């Protein structure tokens, strides 16, 4: 049973890694902002922003925008810690019932708590941008050469979760499950550790 758990934990870890890669490279969210101006019966619409951004692109944009602390935190918690965790779990799999294997799983358990910060960071980031159908409108009366005209300027912001978000979320959940199963396999066989 312990060997089965160890193999299952390793397999889930590999699947989690396969989900992690598209999770950080595919668009995490999309953002569109449009402005509309109406004067009398004429209307002018202009698209201000229309982009899809992945986690890696977000870090790059923050870095180039000189928001270094936020870029470093997102990079650390959402990319580095998950990579270290997955790499260590893979390495521990090949350590056959040794004290090293137990120490690796214990370390992964400790940093696993910190890797939940990546879910928090992404959730806060998306909540910040979740302004779906947020619309503002300003109405002003213009008088030009004795003619009165109504001027209405409005903007609409739409944001949506991208496919990368779902891959990343699946990675987080599967990675957590893999580490729990792997940790359980070593705890049960701790009497066999040299």
């Amino acid at each position: 049973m312990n060997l089965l758990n160890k193999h299952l934990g390793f397999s889930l870890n590999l699947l989690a890694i396969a989900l992690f890669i598209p999770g950080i490279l595919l668009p995490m969210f999309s953002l569109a902002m449009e402005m509309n101006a109406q004067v009398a019966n004429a209307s002018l619409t202009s698209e201000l922003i229309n982009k899809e951004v992945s986690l890696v692109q977000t870090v790059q944009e923050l870095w180039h925008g000189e928001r270094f602390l936020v870029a470093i935190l997102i990079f650390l918690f959402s990319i580095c810690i998950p990579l270290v965790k997955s790499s260590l779990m893979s390495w521990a799999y090949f350590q056959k019932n040794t004290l090293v294997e137990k120490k690796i799983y214990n370390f992964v358990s400790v940093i696993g708590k910190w890797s939940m910060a990546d879910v928090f960071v992404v959730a806060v980031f998306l909540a910040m941008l979740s302004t779906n159908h947020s619309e503002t409108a300003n109405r002003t009366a213009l008088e030009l050469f004795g003619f009165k005209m109504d001027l209405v300027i409005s903007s609409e912001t739409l944001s949506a979760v991208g496919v990368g978000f779902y891959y990343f979320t699946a990675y987080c959940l599967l990675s957590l499950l893999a580490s729990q199963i792997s940790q359980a396999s070593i705890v049960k066989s701790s009497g066999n550790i040299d």
Side-chain angles (χ1 to χ4, degrees), residues 12 20 27 33-34 52 59-60 73 98 107 113 130 132 145 147 154 159 161 163 171 174 177 180 183 190:
L12 290 175
F20 176 75
M33 185 178 215
E34 193 174 88
E52 293 183 329
V59 170
Q60 290 173 339
L73 288 174
T98 65
F107 180 72
K113 294 174 182 118
S130 65
N132 279 343
F145 303 116
F147 295 102
S154 63
S159 63
V161 174
V163 69
Y171 154 75
L174 206 54
L177 181 62
Q180 291 298 315
Q183 179 86 17
S190 61

Side-chain angles (χ1 to χ4, degrees), residues 69-163:
L69 180 61
V70 178
I72 289 169
L73 288 174
I74 292 175
F75 181 73
L76 179 69
F77 288 119
S78 299
I79 297 173
C80 291
I81 289 178
L83 285 175
V84 167
K85 180 181 169 186
S86 295
S87 299
L88 286 174
M89 284 184 58
S90 296
W91 183 43
Y93 174 76
F94 295 104
Q95 305 299 313
K96 303 296 181 192
N97 292 326
T98 65
L99 187 58
V100 172
E101 178 185 19
K102 186 176 180 179
K103 285 183 179 183
I104 291 170
Y105 284 135
N106 287 337
F107 180 72
V108 166
S109 177
V110 169
I111 68 169
K113 294 174 182 118
W114 284 100
S115 71
M116 287 309 292
D118 54 2
V119 177
F120 176 74
V121 166
V122 171
V124 167
F125 192 62
L126 289 173
M128 214 173 63
L129 295 171
S130 65
T131 55
N132 279 343
H133 306 290
S134 175
E135 191 170 336
T136 60
N138 293 326
R139 184 177 296 270
T140 306
L142 291 178
E143 189 171 326
L144 190 61
F145 303 116
F147 295 102
K148 287 186 178 182
M149 295 180 279
D150 282 335
L151 172 65
V152 179
I153 299 175
S154 63
S155 66
E156 184 175 16
T157 305
L158 301 170
S159 63
V161 174
V163 69

Side-chain angles (χ1 to χ4, degrees), residues 24-29 51-64 71 74 79 125:
I24 63 170
L25 297 177
L26 292 176
M28 185 71 71
F29 68 92
K51 67 180 181 176
E52 293 183 329
V53 182
S54 71
L55 201 54
V56 171
Q57 290 170 326
T58 301
V59 170
Q60 290 173 339
E61 285 187 17
L62 288 168
W63 188 264
H64 292 300
I74 292 175
I79 297 173
F125 192 62

